[in-house]
Amino acid sequence: MMQRPIGPVAVFGASNFPLAFSTAGGDTASALAAGCPVVVKGHSAHPGTGEIVAQAIDAAVKACGLHPGVFSLVQGGKRDVGEALVQHPLIKAVGFTGSLGGGRALFDLCARRPEPIPFFGELGSVNPMFLLPAAVGARGAAIAAGWAGSLTMGAGQFCTNPGIAVVIDGPEAQAFIDAAKAAVEKVGAQTMLTDGIAEAYRSGRDRVAAASGVRAVLTSMCDLRQATPYLFEVSGADWLANHALGEEVFGPLGLIVRVRDLAEMQAIAGSLEGQLTCTLHVDPADYPAAKTLLPLLERKAGRVLANGFPTGVEVCEAQVHGGPYPASTNFGATAVGTLSIRRWLRPVAYQNLPPELFPQDL
């Protein structure tokens, strides 16, 4: 058996990552590594950057003596351009990083084709953190400071931004919240990448603020493309009663969920939709509790962290940047790491073939 390239791949550039997830980002790199030609639909938020990167790829194609059709960039147009690309009969798979609505529309389009094709979409995540008691008691302030840095990094415009912190209520939880507020309120306004992202951030903030049982911990003023951080808190019962609180707010907004006990923390974990990441903050005394949470979290997320923050995504053999829907549309795939190449490959078995007929690679 050997892996064969699936064929030409359409890649949609991401609004929030002009480099890492766009013209020459992970989808393009992994598809080329698999031996597939790539057609990139450039994102309208950064057409100049996309053009410059495409020129660099074109220079590399020529320097390596490859066929000029190995890479193409399509710029401009409205939604119909992307739809036409997905529906082209020579396209054999699609890679996408973006909104749930846009990704689901492309996913359905791929499925409705006369020849359905795989769609690999990364559609967002709230990346919850679960703070266990011994860790909070021993180093709650340090965890709060680290969370503030991860939450507000790049104006919160990371798909792995940890937007929710779940903590068992009590004096240590309040100390953690106070420390998080002190750390976050030091962060000034940051410019978001597009007007659309900024508008969606304000809309998400208003949705969270208006939800039943939600209380403001830190509020600020933001307008136009200037994003300022917000912190809110809610009880575990109110969070469980409102599915919308588990939806992503793309930006530097944190929601702290105060739960009564470990059982309610487990209920929060069990109610989650698919996530890119879930994080445990634990000390050795927390290990028994962590062992009860892990079977839940590994069914919800593609990457489970301990005592860290998910906004660092290393490109390596073991990386998984994906998860159950709606984090991604294929739970068995990753958009980052060497395993991402497997998305664009098709296994072929050769049974009883004479060695003289083997493909050259065999």
Short mmCIF file of all heavy atoms in Angstrom, two decimals, residues 36-103:
data_model
loop_
_atom_site.label_atom_id
_atom_site.label_comp_id
_atom_site.label_asym_id
_atom_site.label_seq_id
_atom_site.Cartn_x
_atom_site.Cartn_y
_atom_site.Cartn_z
N CYS A 36 -0.05 17.49 -4.42
CA CYS A 36 -1.27 18.02 -5.03
C CYS A 36 -1.05 19.45 -5.52
O CYS A 36 -0.51 20.28 -4.78
CB CYS A 36 -2.41 18.03 -4.01
SG CYS A 36 -2.89 16.41 -3.42
N PRO A 37 -1.50 19.78 -6.73
CA PRO A 37 -1.55 21.19 -7.12
C PRO A 37 -2.52 21.95 -6.22
O PRO A 37 -3.47 21.37 -5.67
CB PRO A 37 -2.07 21.14 -8.56
CG PRO A 37 -1.88 19.73 -9.01
CD PRO A 37 -2.00 18.88 -7.78
N VAL A 38 -2.29 23.25 -6.07
CA VAL A 38 -3.10 24.07 -5.16
C VAL A 38 -3.63 25.30 -5.90
O VAL A 38 -2.87 25.97 -6.62
CB VAL A 38 -2.28 24.51 -3.94
CG1 VAL A 38 -3.06 25.50 -3.08
CG2 VAL A 38 -1.87 23.31 -3.10
N VAL A 39 -4.91 25.59 -5.69
CA VAL A 39 -5.51 26.84 -6.13
C VAL A 39 -5.98 27.57 -4.88
O VAL A 39 -6.87 27.08 -4.17
CB VAL A 39 -6.69 26.62 -7.09
CG1 VAL A 39 -7.27 27.96 -7.53
CG2 VAL A 39 -6.27 25.80 -8.30
N VAL A 40 -5.39 28.72 -4.58
CA VAL A 40 -5.75 29.49 -3.39
C VAL A 40 -6.76 30.55 -3.76
O VAL A 40 -6.58 31.29 -4.74
CB VAL A 40 -4.50 30.16 -2.77
CG1 VAL A 40 -4.91 31.12 -1.65
CG2 VAL A 40 -3.55 29.10 -2.23
N LYS A 41 -7.84 30.63 -2.98
CA LYS A 41 -8.77 31.76 -3.07
C LYS A 41 -8.33 32.77 -2.03
O LYS A 41 -8.50 32.58 -0.83
CB LYS A 41 -10.20 31.30 -2.79
CG LYS A 41 -11.24 32.44 -2.66
CD LYS A 41 -11.34 33.22 -3.96
CE LYS A 41 -12.43 34.30 -3.86
NZ LYS A 41 -12.00 35.43 -2.99
N GLY A 42 -7.68 33.85 -2.48
CA GLY A 42 -7.16 34.84 -1.56
C GLY A 42 -8.26 35.54 -0.79
O GLY A 42 -9.37 35.73 -1.29
N HIS A 43 -7.95 35.91 0.46
CA HIS A 43 -8.94 36.61 1.29
C HIS A 43 -8.92 38.10 0.98
O HIS A 43 -7.86 38.70 0.84
CB HIS A 43 -8.66 36.38 2.78
CG HIS A 43 -9.85 36.66 3.64
ND1 HIS A 43 -10.24 37.95 3.96
CD2 HIS A 43 -10.74 35.83 4.24
CE1 HIS A 43 -11.33 37.89 4.72
NE2 HIS A 43 -11.65 36.62 4.90
N SER A 44 -10.10 38.69 0.93
CA SER A 44 -10.22 40.10 0.56
C SER A 44 -9.67 41.04 1.61
O SER A 44 -9.46 42.22 1.35
CB SER A 44 -11.69 40.45 0.30
OG SER A 44 -12.48 40.18 1.47
N ALA A 45 -9.38 40.52 2.83
CA ALA A 45 -8.85 41.38 3.89
C ALA A 45 -7.38 41.73 3.68
O ALA A 45 -6.90 42.72 4.24
CB ALA A 45 -9.03 40.71 5.25
N HIS A 46 -6.66 40.92 2.91
CA HIS A 46 -5.22 41.18 2.75
C HIS A 46 -4.76 40.77 1.35
O HIS A 46 -3.88 39.91 1.19
CB HIS A 46 -4.40 40.46 3.82
CG HIS A 46 -4.91 39.08 4.16
ND1 HIS A 46 -4.67 37.99 3.35
CD2 HIS A 46 -5.62 38.62 5.21
CE1 HIS A 46 -5.23 36.92 3.89
NE2 HIS A 46 -5.81 37.27 5.01
N PRO A 47 -5.34 41.37 0.30
CA PRO A 47 -4.98 40.98 -1.07
C PRO A 47 -3.53 41.30 -1.43
O PRO A 47 -2.90 40.55 -2.19
CB PRO A 47 -5.96 41.77 -1.94
CG PRO A 47 -6.37 42.94 -1.10
CD PRO A 47 -6.38 42.42 0.31
N GLY A 48 -3.00 42.39 -0.91
CA GLY A 48 -1.62 42.75 -1.22
C GLY A 48 -0.64 41.74 -0.66
O GLY A 48 0.29 41.31 -1.36
N THR A 49 -0.83 41.38 0.59
CA THR A 49 0.03 40.37 1.21
C THR A 49 -0.06 39.05 0.45
O THR A 49 0.95 38.39 0.17
CB THR A 49 -0.36 40.16 2.68
OG1 THR A 49 -0.25 41.40 3.37
CG2 THR A 49 0.53 39.13 3.34
N GLY A 50 -1.29 38.66 0.10
CA GLY A 50 -1.48 37.42 -0.65
C GLY A 50 -0.75 37.44 -1.98
O GLY A 50 -0.15 36.44 -2.39
N GLU A 51 -0.77 38.58 -2.66
CA GLU A 51 -0.10 38.69 -3.96
C GLU A 51 1.42 38.57 -3.82
O GLU A 51 2.07 37.88 -4.60
CB GLU A 51 -0.46 40.03 -4.60
CG GLU A 51 -0.09 40.15 -6.07
CD GLU A 51 -1.03 39.37 -6.96
OE1 GLU A 51 -2.18 39.11 -6.55
OE2 GLU A 51 -0.61 39.00 -8.07
N ILE A 52 1.97 39.23 -2.80
CA ILE A 52 3.43 39.17 -2.58
C ILE A 52 3.87 37.73 -2.28
O ILE A 52 4.87 37.24 -2.81
CB ILE A 52 3.84 40.12 -1.45
CG1 ILE A 52 3.63 41.57 -1.88
CG2 ILE A 52 5.29 39.89 -1.03
CD1 ILE A 52 3.76 42.57 -0.75
N VAL A 53 3.10 37.05 -1.42
CA VAL A 53 3.45 35.67 -1.08
C VAL A 53 3.31 34.77 -2.30
O VAL A 53 4.14 33.88 -2.55
CB VAL A 53 2.57 35.17 0.08
CG1 VAL A 53 2.81 33.69 0.34
CG2 VAL A 53 2.85 35.98 1.34
N ALA A 54 2.27 34.99 -3.11
CA ALA A 54 2.09 34.19 -4.33
C ALA A 54 3.25 34.37 -5.28
O ALA A 54 3.69 33.41 -5.95
CB ALA A 54 0.77 34.56 -5.00
N GLN A 55 3.78 35.59 -5.37
CA GLN A 55 4.93 35.83 -6.23
C GLN A 55 6.16 35.05 -5.73
O GLN A 55 6.95 34.54 -6.53
CB GLN A 55 5.23 37.33 -6.29
CG GLN A 55 4.18 38.12 -7.07
CD GLN A 55 4.36 39.62 -6.91
OE1 GLN A 55 5.27 40.09 -6.25
NE2 GLN A 55 3.46 40.39 -7.53
N ALA A 56 6.30 34.96 -4.41
CA ALA A 56 7.41 34.18 -3.84
C ALA A 56 7.25 32.70 -4.17
O ALA A 56 8.23 32.01 -4.51
CB ALA A 56 7.47 34.39 -2.33
N ILE A 57 6.01 32.19 -4.09
CA ILE A 57 5.77 30.78 -4.45
C ILE A 57 6.07 30.56 -5.93
O ILE A 57 6.69 29.56 -6.32
CB ILE A 57 4.32 30.38 -4.12
CG1 ILE A 57 4.05 30.49 -2.62
CG2 ILE A 57 4.04 28.96 -4.61
CD1 ILE A 57 2.61 30.27 -2.25
N ASP A 58 5.65 31.49 -6.77
CA ASP A 58 5.89 31.38 -8.21
C ASP A 58 7.39 31.33 -8.51
O ASP A 58 7.84 30.54 -9.35
CB ASP A 58 5.24 32.55 -8.93
CG ASP A 58 5.36 32.45 -10.44
OD1 ASP A 58 4.88 31.45 -11.01
OD2 ASP A 58 5.95 33.36 -11.05
N ALA A 59 8.15 32.16 -7.79
CA ALA A 59 9.61 32.14 -7.97
C ALA A 59 10.19 30.80 -7.55
O ALA A 59 11.10 30.27 -8.20
CB ALA A 59 10.24 33.28 -7.17
N ALA A 60 9.65 30.22 -6.47
CA ALA A 60 10.13 28.91 -6.01
C ALA A 60 9.77 27.81 -7.01
O ALA A 60 10.56 26.90 -7.27
CB ALA A 60 9.54 28.60 -4.64
N VAL A 61 8.56 27.89 -7.58
CA VAL A 61 8.14 26.91 -8.58
C VAL A 61 9.11 26.92 -9.76
O VAL A 61 9.55 25.87 -10.26
CB VAL A 61 6.70 27.19 -9.03
CG1 VAL A 61 6.36 26.41 -10.30
CG2 VAL A 61 5.70 26.86 -7.93
N LYS A 62 9.46 28.12 -10.23
CA LYS A 62 10.38 28.23 -11.36
C LYS A 62 11.78 27.75 -10.98
O LYS A 62 12.44 27.05 -11.76
CB LYS A 62 10.42 29.68 -11.83
CG LYS A 62 9.11 30.14 -12.46
CD LYS A 62 9.12 31.63 -12.77
CE LYS A 62 7.81 32.07 -13.40
NZ LYS A 62 7.74 33.55 -13.59
N ALA A 63 12.23 28.10 -9.78
CA ALA A 63 13.57 27.70 -9.36
C ALA A 63 13.70 26.19 -9.23
O ALA A 63 14.77 25.63 -9.45
CB ALA A 63 13.92 28.38 -8.04
N CYS A 64 12.60 25.53 -8.85
CA CYS A 64 12.63 24.08 -8.68
C CYS A 64 12.31 23.33 -9.97
O CYS A 64 12.30 22.09 -9.99
CB CYS A 64 11.63 23.66 -7.60
SG CYS A 64 12.06 24.23 -5.95
N GLY A 65 12.00 24.06 -11.03
CA GLY A 65 11.68 23.42 -12.30
C GLY A 65 10.37 22.67 -12.30
O GLY A 65 10.20 21.69 -13.03
N LEU A 66 9.41 23.11 -11.48
CA LEU A 66 8.11 22.45 -11.42
C LEU A 66 7.17 22.97 -12.50
O LEU A 66 7.39 24.04 -13.08
CB LEU A 66 7.48 22.68 -10.04
CG LEU A 66 8.27 22.19 -8.83
CD1 LEU A 66 7.54 22.55 -7.54
CD2 LEU A 66 8.50 20.69 -8.91
N HIS A 67 6.12 22.22 -12.76
CA HIS A 67 5.11 22.65 -13.72
C HIS A 67 4.44 23.92 -13.21
O HIS A 67 4.11 24.02 -12.02
CB HIS A 67 4.07 21.55 -13.91
CG HIS A 67 3.13 21.78 -15.04
ND1 HIS A 67 2.11 22.70 -14.99
CD2 HIS A 67 3.07 21.23 -16.29
CE1 HIS A 67 1.45 22.71 -16.13
NE2 HIS A 67 2.01 21.81 -16.94
N PRO A 68 4.22 24.91 -14.07
CA PRO A 68 3.63 26.18 -13.59
C PRO A 68 2.22 26.03 -13.03
O PRO A 68 1.76 26.88 -12.27
CB PRO A 68 3.63 27.07 -14.84
CG PRO A 68 3.75 26.12 -15.99
CD PRO A 68 4.56 24.97 -15.49
N GLY A 69 1.53 24.93 -13.38
CA GLY A 69 0.19 24.74 -12.86
C GLY A 69 0.13 24.20 -11.45
O GLY A 69 -0.95 23.96 -10.92
N VAL A 70 1.28 24.04 -10.79
CA VAL A 70 1.28 23.48 -9.45
C VAL A 70 0.69 24.45 -8.43
O VAL A 70 0.22 24.04 -7.37
CB VAL A 70 2.71 23.06 -9.04
CG1 VAL A 70 3.57 24.25 -8.69
CG2 VAL A 70 2.67 22.06 -7.88
N PHE A 71 0.66 25.74 -8.77
CA PHE A 71 0.12 26.72 -7.82
C PHE A 71 -0.57 27.85 -8.58
O PHE A 71 -0.04 28.36 -9.56
CB PHE A 71 1.21 27.31 -6.93
CG PHE A 71 0.72 28.43 -6.04
CD1 PHE A 71 0.11 28.13 -4.83
CD2 PHE A 71 0.83 29.75 -6.43
CE1 PHE A 71 -0.39 29.14 -4.03
CE2 PHE A 71 0.34 30.77 -5.63
CZ PHE A 71 -0.26 30.46 -4.42
N SER A 72 -1.73 28.26 -8.07
CA SER A 72 -2.46 29.41 -8.63
C SER A 72 -3.10 30.20 -7.50
O SER A 72 -3.47 29.64 -6.46
CB SER A 72 -3.56 28.95 -9.59
OG SER A 72 -3.04 28.19 -10.65
N LEU A 73 -3.25 31.50 -7.72
CA LEU A 73 -3.94 32.38 -6.77
C LEU A 73 -5.08 33.07 -7.50
O LEU A 73 -4.88 33.67 -8.56
CB LEU A 73 -2.99 33.42 -6.20
CG LEU A 73 -3.62 34.52 -5.33
CD1 LEU A 73 -4.16 33.94 -4.03
CD2 LEU A 73 -2.62 35.64 -5.05
N VAL A 74 -6.29 32.97 -6.93
CA VAL A 74 -7.46 33.66 -7.46
C VAL A 74 -7.81 34.79 -6.50
O VAL A 74 -8.00 34.55 -5.29
CB VAL A 74 -8.67 32.70 -7.59
CG1 VAL A 74 -9.89 33.45 -8.11
CG2 VAL A 74 -8.32 31.54 -8.51
N GLN A 75 -7.87 36.00 -7.01
CA GLN A 75 -8.16 37.17 -6.19
C GLN A 75 -9.52 37.77 -6.55
O GLN A 75 -10.00 37.63 -7.68
CB GLN A 75 -7.09 38.25 -6.42
CG GLN A 75 -5.71 37.87 -5.92
CD GLN A 75 -5.47 38.32 -4.49
OE1 GLN A 75 -6.29 38.08 -3.62
NE2 GLN A 75 -4.33 38.96 -4.25
N GLY A 76 -10.11 38.49 -5.58
CA GLY A 76 -11.29 39.29 -5.84
C GLY A 76 -12.56 38.49 -5.97
O GLY A 76 -12.61 37.28 -5.75
N GLY A 77 -13.61 39.21 -6.36
CA GLY A 77 -14.91 38.59 -6.52
C GLY A 77 -15.66 38.45 -5.22
O GLY A 77 -15.15 38.73 -4.14
N LYS A 78 -16.90 38.01 -5.32
CA LYS A 78 -17.73 37.80 -4.15
C LYS A 78 -17.83 36.30 -3.87
O LYS A 78 -17.00 35.52 -4.30
CB LYS A 78 -19.10 38.43 -4.37
CG LYS A 78 -19.04 39.95 -4.54
CD LYS A 78 -20.41 40.57 -4.68
CE LYS A 78 -20.30 42.10 -4.83
NZ LYS A 78 -21.64 42.73 -4.99
N ARG A 79 -18.87 35.92 -3.16
CA ARG A 79 -19.00 34.53 -2.75
C ARG A 79 -19.08 33.59 -3.95
O ARG A 79 -18.66 32.43 -3.87
CB ARG A 79 -20.24 34.39 -1.87
CG ARG A 79 -20.47 32.99 -1.34
CD ARG A 79 -21.57 32.96 -0.32
NE ARG A 79 -21.21 33.68 0.89
CZ ARG A 79 -22.00 33.79 1.96
NH1 ARG A 79 -23.20 33.22 1.94
NH2 ARG A 79 -21.61 34.47 3.02
N ASP A 80 -19.60 34.10 -5.08
CA ASP A 80 -19.78 33.24 -6.24
C ASP A 80 -18.45 32.72 -6.78
O ASP A 80 -18.39 31.64 -7.37
CB ASP A 80 -20.55 33.97 -7.34
CG ASP A 80 -19.87 35.26 -7.78
OD1 ASP A 80 -19.17 35.87 -6.95
OD2 ASP A 80 -20.04 35.65 -8.94
N VAL A 81 -17.35 33.48 -6.58
CA VAL A 81 -16.04 33.03 -7.04
C VAL A 81 -15.60 31.79 -6.26
O VAL A 81 -15.14 30.80 -6.83
CB VAL A 81 -15.00 34.16 -6.94
CG1 VAL A 81 -13.62 33.65 -7.32
CG2 VAL A 81 -15.41 35.34 -7.81
N GLY A 82 -15.75 31.86 -4.94
CA GLY A 82 -15.40 30.70 -4.12
C GLY A 82 -16.27 29.50 -4.42
O GLY A 82 -15.80 28.36 -4.46
N GLU A 83 -17.56 29.75 -4.66
CA GLU A 83 -18.47 28.65 -4.98
C GLU A 83 -18.08 28.00 -6.30
O GLU A 83 -18.09 26.76 -6.43
CB GLU A 83 -19.90 29.16 -5.04
CG GLU A 83 -20.46 29.59 -3.68
CD GLU A 83 -21.84 30.20 -3.79
OE1 GLU A 83 -22.30 30.43 -4.93
OE2 GLU A 83 -22.47 30.43 -2.74
N ALA A 84 -17.71 28.82 -7.28
CA ALA A 84 -17.31 28.26 -8.58
C ALA A 84 -16.04 27.42 -8.44
O ALA A 84 -15.90 26.37 -9.09
CB ALA A 84 -17.09 29.39 -9.58
N LEU A 85 -15.13 27.87 -7.59
CA LEU A 85 -13.90 27.11 -7.37
C LEU A 85 -14.20 25.75 -6.75
O LEU A 85 -13.69 24.71 -7.19
CB LEU A 85 -12.95 27.91 -6.48
CG LEU A 85 -11.63 27.24 -6.09
CD1 LEU A 85 -10.81 26.90 -7.32
CD2 LEU A 85 -10.83 28.15 -5.15
N VAL A 86 -15.05 25.74 -5.72
CA VAL A 86 -15.40 24.47 -5.05
C VAL A 86 -16.12 23.52 -6.00
O VAL A 86 -15.94 22.30 -5.93
CB VAL A 86 -16.27 24.77 -3.81
CG1 VAL A 86 -16.85 23.49 -3.23
CG2 VAL A 86 -15.44 25.50 -2.75
N GLN A 87 -16.92 24.07 -6.90
CA GLN A 87 -17.72 23.23 -7.79
C GLN A 87 -16.96 22.78 -9.04
O GLN A 87 -17.48 21.97 -9.81
CB GLN A 87 -18.98 23.99 -8.20
CG GLN A 87 -19.96 24.18 -7.05
CD GLN A 87 -21.16 25.03 -7.46
OE1 GLN A 87 -21.00 26.10 -8.03
NE2 GLN A 87 -22.35 24.53 -7.19
N HIS A 88 -15.76 23.31 -9.27
CA HIS A 88 -15.03 22.92 -10.46
C HIS A 88 -14.73 21.42 -10.42
O HIS A 88 -14.24 20.90 -9.42
CB HIS A 88 -13.72 23.71 -10.58
CG HIS A 88 -13.11 23.62 -11.94
ND1 HIS A 88 -12.46 22.49 -12.38
CD2 HIS A 88 -13.06 24.51 -12.96
CE1 HIS A 88 -12.04 22.68 -13.62
NE2 HIS A 88 -12.39 23.91 -13.99
N PRO A 89 -15.02 20.70 -11.51
CA PRO A 89 -14.89 19.24 -11.46
C PRO A 89 -13.46 18.73 -11.24
O PRO A 89 -13.30 17.58 -10.81
CB PRO A 89 -15.41 18.80 -12.84
CG PRO A 89 -15.34 20.02 -13.70
CD PRO A 89 -15.57 21.18 -12.80
N LEU A 90 -12.45 19.53 -11.49
CA LEU A 90 -11.08 19.07 -11.28
C LEU A 90 -10.61 19.23 -9.83
O LEU A 90 -9.60 18.65 -9.44
CB LEU A 90 -10.11 19.81 -12.21
CG LEU A 90 -10.25 19.50 -13.70
CD1 LEU A 90 -9.21 20.25 -14.51
CD2 LEU A 90 -10.14 18.00 -13.96
N ILE A 91 -11.32 20.04 -9.04
CA ILE A 91 -10.96 20.19 -7.62
C ILE A 91 -11.38 18.94 -6.87
O ILE A 91 -12.52 18.49 -6.96
CB ILE A 91 -11.62 21.45 -7.03
CG1 ILE A 91 -11.05 22.71 -7.67
CG2 ILE A 91 -11.43 21.48 -5.51
CD1 ILE A 91 -9.57 22.94 -7.41
N LYS A 92 -10.46 18.37 -6.09
CA LYS A 92 -10.71 17.10 -5.42
C LYS A 92 -10.80 17.20 -3.90
O LYS A 92 -11.12 16.21 -3.24
CB LYS A 92 -9.62 16.10 -5.78
CG LYS A 92 -9.55 15.79 -7.28
CD LYS A 92 -10.87 15.23 -7.80
CE LYS A 92 -10.79 14.91 -9.28
NZ LYS A 92 -12.11 14.46 -9.82
N ALA A 93 -10.50 18.37 -3.33
CA ALA A 93 -10.63 18.57 -1.88
C ALA A 93 -10.53 20.07 -1.61
O ALA A 93 -10.00 20.83 -2.43
CB ALA A 93 -9.55 17.82 -1.11
N VAL A 94 -11.03 20.48 -0.44
CA VAL A 94 -11.03 21.89 -0.07
C VAL A 94 -10.52 22.04 1.36
O VAL A 94 -10.91 21.27 2.25
CB VAL A 94 -12.45 22.51 -0.17
CG1 VAL A 94 -12.46 23.95 0.31
CG2 VAL A 94 -12.97 22.43 -1.60
N GLY A 95 -9.64 23.04 1.57
CA GLY A 95 -9.19 23.41 2.90
C GLY A 95 -9.65 24.82 3.24
O GLY A 95 -9.56 25.72 2.40
N PHE A 96 -10.15 25.00 4.45
CA PHE A 96 -10.78 26.28 4.82
C PHE A 96 -10.51 26.57 6.29
O PHE A 96 -10.58 25.67 7.13
CB PHE A 96 -12.29 26.20 4.57
CG PHE A 96 -13.09 27.39 5.07
CD1 PHE A 96 -13.26 28.50 4.28
CD2 PHE A 96 -13.67 27.37 6.33
CE1 PHE A 96 -14.01 29.58 4.72
CE2 PHE A 96 -14.41 28.45 6.79
CZ PHE A 96 -14.58 29.56 5.98
N THR A 97 -10.22 27.82 6.59
CA THR A 97 -10.16 28.30 7.97
C THR A 97 -11.00 29.56 8.04
O THR A 97 -10.73 30.52 7.31
CB THR A 97 -8.73 28.61 8.41
OG1 THR A 97 -7.95 27.42 8.37
CG2 THR A 97 -8.70 29.17 9.84
N GLY A 98 -12.03 29.58 8.89
CA GLY A 98 -12.89 30.76 8.94
C GLY A 98 -14.11 30.53 9.81
O GLY A 98 -14.09 29.71 10.73
N SER A 99 -15.18 31.24 9.49
CA SER A 99 -16.37 31.23 10.33
C SER A 99 -17.16 29.94 10.18
O SER A 99 -17.07 29.23 9.17
CB SER A 99 -17.28 32.41 9.95
OG SER A 99 -17.83 32.21 8.65
N LEU A 100 -17.97 29.66 11.19
CA LEU A 100 -18.83 28.48 11.16
C LEU A 100 -19.82 28.57 10.01
O LEU A 100 -20.03 27.60 9.27
CB LEU A 100 -19.56 28.34 12.49
CG LEU A 100 -20.58 27.20 12.60
CD1 LEU A 100 -19.92 25.85 12.36
CD2 LEU A 100 -21.27 27.22 13.96
N GLY A 101 -20.42 29.76 9.81
CA GLY A 101 -21.41 29.92 8.75
C GLY A 101 -20.80 29.73 7.37
O GLY A 101 -21.35 29.00 6.53
N GLY A 102 -19.67 30.39 7.11
CA GLY A 102 -19.02 30.26 5.82
C GLY A 102 -18.52 28.85 5.56
O GLY A 102 -18.66 28.31 4.46
N GLY A 103 -17.94 28.25 6.59
CA GLY A 103 -17.42 26.89 6.45
C GLY A 103 -18.52 25.88 6.20
O GLY A 103 -18.38 24.97 5.38
#
